[in-house]
Amino acid sequence: MKKCALLLLFFTLGFNLWSQSVFTWDLRKDIIIGTAAVGLFFGHRLLSTEPSIPGYRNVRDLNFLDRGLLFENDLRHLDPARAAIQFSFFALPMVLTPLTVVGLDFSDGVIPWFLRGFDTWLVYGIMFTQAGFLMEGIRGIIKGTANRFRPPVYIMGGSQTHAFSTDSFPSGSTMLAFTPAAFLSTTFSAEHPDSPWRLPIVIGSYLLATSIGVQRVLSGEHFFTDVLAGAALGTLIGWGIPTLHRRTNGNDNNGISFMPTGNGIIVSVSLGGR
C-alpha cells in the first residue's frame, strides 16, 4: 500500500515533466478556482426559493421576446430522452478529448497506457470537476435570487409540472448542455488546431446543445430569455475553465492569469499562437 501511495505521489508531483496536453494545472490557481466553485455550489443551497402561489399572470407583463415565443405544448414525454442525451453528452468531453491526446496504444498494457497519459487525465479531471461545481453553483445562485415564475403561470391551461416554481431563470438544462459543448469545442480545438474534425465537433456540439434549449422553449418549460441566459453562462464556463488552464510557457501565449492582491485580484488575458 505504501509503495502504491508513493508511486501515485511521484506521478502526481512529476506530471509536468512529461505532460502531453496543452492544458496544465497550478496548485495555487486551482485552489482558488476550486474553493470558489465549491463555495458557490454549497452557497446557493442557503437561498430560499419557495414562492407564494400567485395565480395566473397577464402575458402582456412579459418582454416582447418571451411573449412572442411562449408555447404551451405538452412535450413532457420527451423529457426522459432529453435527459439521457443531456447527461451522456455532459460526460463526453471528459473522455473524448483526453483520448485523442493520450491515444489508444495498449501494446504495453492498460496500466502503462494509463500512467503514460496520467497527466492528461488528471488535468482534465480537475478542469471538468471545477466546471461542474461552478455551473451548478452559478445556476443555483441566480435561480434563487431571480425568482422568476415558469411560463405556465402566464398560460391558462398550460402544463402544471412547474406551474408555480420560481426557478425559471436561467434554464439549468440549457446550461448543462452548453457547458460541455463549449468545453469540448475549446479543448479539442486547442489540442488539435489543424484537425479536420475540429469544425464538425464544434458545430455538432453546439447544434446538440441548441436542440436542448429549443426543446425547453417548445415544451413550455422555459422562456426564450431563460434559454438564452443558460446558453451564455454555460458557454462562458465551458470556455473559461480550460482557458484558465492553458499553458503559457514557450510559444504558447494563450491563457488567463490572475494574481491576488490586498484589494482584490488582477486578471490578465493573453492571446497568441501555439
Side-chain angles (χ1 to χ4, degrees):
M1 180 63 72
K2 290 182 179 180
K3 291 182 178 180
C4 292
L6 288 175
L7 187 63
L8 180 60
L9 179 62
F10 170 77
F11 282 121
T12 302
L13 294 178
F15 107 65
N16 277 319
L17 298 177
W18 67 86
S19 181
Q20 300 167 289
S21 175
V22 301
F23 300 100
T24 187
W25 62 273
D26 177 83
L27 184 60
R28 183 178 64 176
K29 181 189 295 184
D30 284 312
I31 287 177
I32 295 174
I33 299 172
T35 301
V38 172
L40 288 173
F41 177 80
F42 287 104
H44 87 267
R45 301 176 186 277
L46 302 176
L47 298 175
S48 175
T49 59
E50 291 297 327
S52 58
I53 304 302
Y56 289 102
R57 295 188 172 186
N58 197 316
V59 295
R60 288 192 295 270
D61 295 335
L62 298 172
N63 63 71
F64 74 98
L65 284 175
D66 292 332
R67 187 168 61 248
L69 293 170
L70 191 62
F71 297 90
E72 53 181 314
N73 302 310
D74 190 355
L75 300 180
R76 284 173 291 174
H77 61 283
L78 297 179
D79 280 350
R82 173 191 59 77
I85 294 173
Q86 190 171 338
F87 284 99
S88 299
F89 179 51
F90 187 76
L92 184 63
M94 179 55 203
V95 178
L96 180 60
T97 308
L99 277 178
T100 63
V101 176
V102 176
L104 291 173
D105 180 10
F106 297 103
S107 57
D108 297 329
V110 175
I111 294 179
W113 169 82
F114 173 78
L115 294 179
R116 191 167 61 244
F118 178 76
D119 59 302
T120 300
W121 294 111
L122 178 61
V123 71
Y124 271 84
I126 291 172
M127 291 193 299
F128 204 67
T129 301
Q130 291 173 349
F133 274 95
L134 192 61
M135 179 199 69
E136 179 63 17
I138 292 176
R139 182 201 68 84
I141 290 289
I142 298 178
K143 280 181 177 289
T145 53
N147 288 323
R148 188 183 197 188
F149 288 105
R150 297 262 185 160
V153 171
Y154 297 86
I155 304 172
M156 290 298 295
S159 167
Q160 298 298 310
T161 306
H162 300 288
F164 301 117
S165 297
T166 57
D167 61 349
S168 188
F169 184 88
S171 169
S173 296
T174 307
M175 285 185 69
L176 192 61
F178 274 85
T179 298
F183 189 97
L184 178 59
S185 299
T186 301
T187 54
F188 190 89
S189 297
E191 303 280 15
H192 310 287
D194 301 319
S195 172
W197 288 98
R198 178 183 178 183
L199 193 58
I201 284 178
V202 172
I203 293 175
S205 298
Y206 277 102
L207 282 178
L208 182 58
T210 300
S211 70
I212 297 295
V214 170
Q215 190 272 342
R216 303 307 285 161
V217 174
L218 292 180
S219 64
E221 297 290 339
H222 280 287
F223 296 105
F224 175 73
T225 51
D226 298 338
V227 168
L228 197 62
L233 290 168
T235 299
L236 181 61
I237 295 168
W239 166 84
I241 291 297
T243 303
L244 282 167
H245 292 81
R246 186 72 186 264
R247 290 185 181 278
T248 56
N249 61 307
N251 294 324
D252 188 357
N253 298 317
N254 292 324
I256 300 177
S257 60
F258 52 90
M259 179 183 299
T261 66
N263 298 322
I265 298 177
I266 298 176
V267 180
S268 174
V269 180
S270 58
L271 298 174
R274 288 187 62 185

